[in-house]
Amino acid sequence: SSLKLLMRHSGLPGSSPVQLTRLALSVTDSTGTGLTASEMFSAISVWRQNYLIGEVIPTSPDSEAIDIPLSTPLNLFAQEIDSIVVTVSVKPAITAAGFSLQISDSSQFTVRDLNTGSALLAVSDTTLASGNAFPMLSTWAAFRLPAEPLAMCIDDVAPAAVAGGADSVRLASLAV
């Protein structure tokens, strides 16, 4: 599953650039109850275009928010729009029915003024999304059991003798 986030620097031309350096997210079940990311995922990654800009290996035994520092912060200039995508690597043995990724509110982002270093708020952008953007939720991703090996059995049904010129002689039967 993935969560795509669109971001826009709404400042006027000439405004100082902004920089996103960190984000945090939670993993929830279909009712919104927190799940433990370390039991489900071997990694949570943040991508900008085709570039990995942040990754964390969940280790906490709790269902708390996972902090993802960006090794390559996202810089936006005035009126610029960009996006990032959060992806997960799912462990092979999962007991949950599925999950959603959630960013509960603006405090889950660390944004700063690139010129002064001052902390900035992340706010809902009604230009990019209708209504309030928080909480941000990915679509529900249901887990499916992997396919089992296909069991096959061959049965020799060839006749003891075949007359010359015989057409479509059955030689074997395959049961699956």
Side-chain angles (χ1 to χ4, degrees):
S1 180
S2 63
L3 177 64
K4 182 176 184 177
L5 304 170
L6 293 172
M7 298 176 187
R8 181 175 69 96
H9 181 336
S10 59
L12 297 173
S15 298
S16 178
V18 297
Q19 184 177 65
L20 173 67
T21 60
R22 178 197 71 82
L23 66 99
L25 56 85
S26 301
V27 183
T28 62
D29 66 12
S30 61
T31 66
T33 303
L35 297 172
T36 305
S38 61
E39 293 176 357
M40 302 171 60
F41 308 131
S42 57
I44 301 172
S45 306
V46 179
W47 298 83
R48 180 175 178 245
Q49 298 168 6
N50 292 327
Y51 300 100
L52 180 66
I53 63 170
E55 186 170 54
V56 67
I57 296 170
T59 57
S60 174
D62 301 321
S63 59
E64 60 195 27
I66 295 94
D67 189 57
I68 309 170
L70 302 182
S71 55
T72 306
L74 175 68
N75 299 327
L76 291 174
F77 295 92
Q79 298 300 307
E80 187 176 9
I81 297 174
D82 207 339
S83 64
I84 58 175
V85 176
V86 180
T87 62
V88 296
S89 298
V90 179
K91 289 184 174 180
I94 304 297
T95 57
F99 70 95
S100 287
L101 300 177
Q102 176 180 310
I103 298 174
S104 58
D105 58 43
S106 63
S107 70
Q108 303 299 299
F109 295 96
T110 301
V111 183
R112 66 185 185 107
D113 180 308
L114 195 55
N115 290 341
T116 66
S118 300
L120 298 172
L121 294 175
V123 296
S124 296
D125 188 335
T126 55
T127 302
L128 297 176
S130 59
N132 193 352
F134 296 104
M136 296 177 176
L137 283 169
S138 71
T139 56
W140 174 255
F143 291 120
R144 301 284 183 242
L145 294 175
E148 295 291 327
L150 183 61
M152 300 188 312
C153 180
I154 192 163
D155 186 22
D156 181 7
V157 294
V162 177
D167 190 16
S168 300
V169 177
R170 290 187 54 178
L171 299 176
S173 174
L174 184 63
V176 289

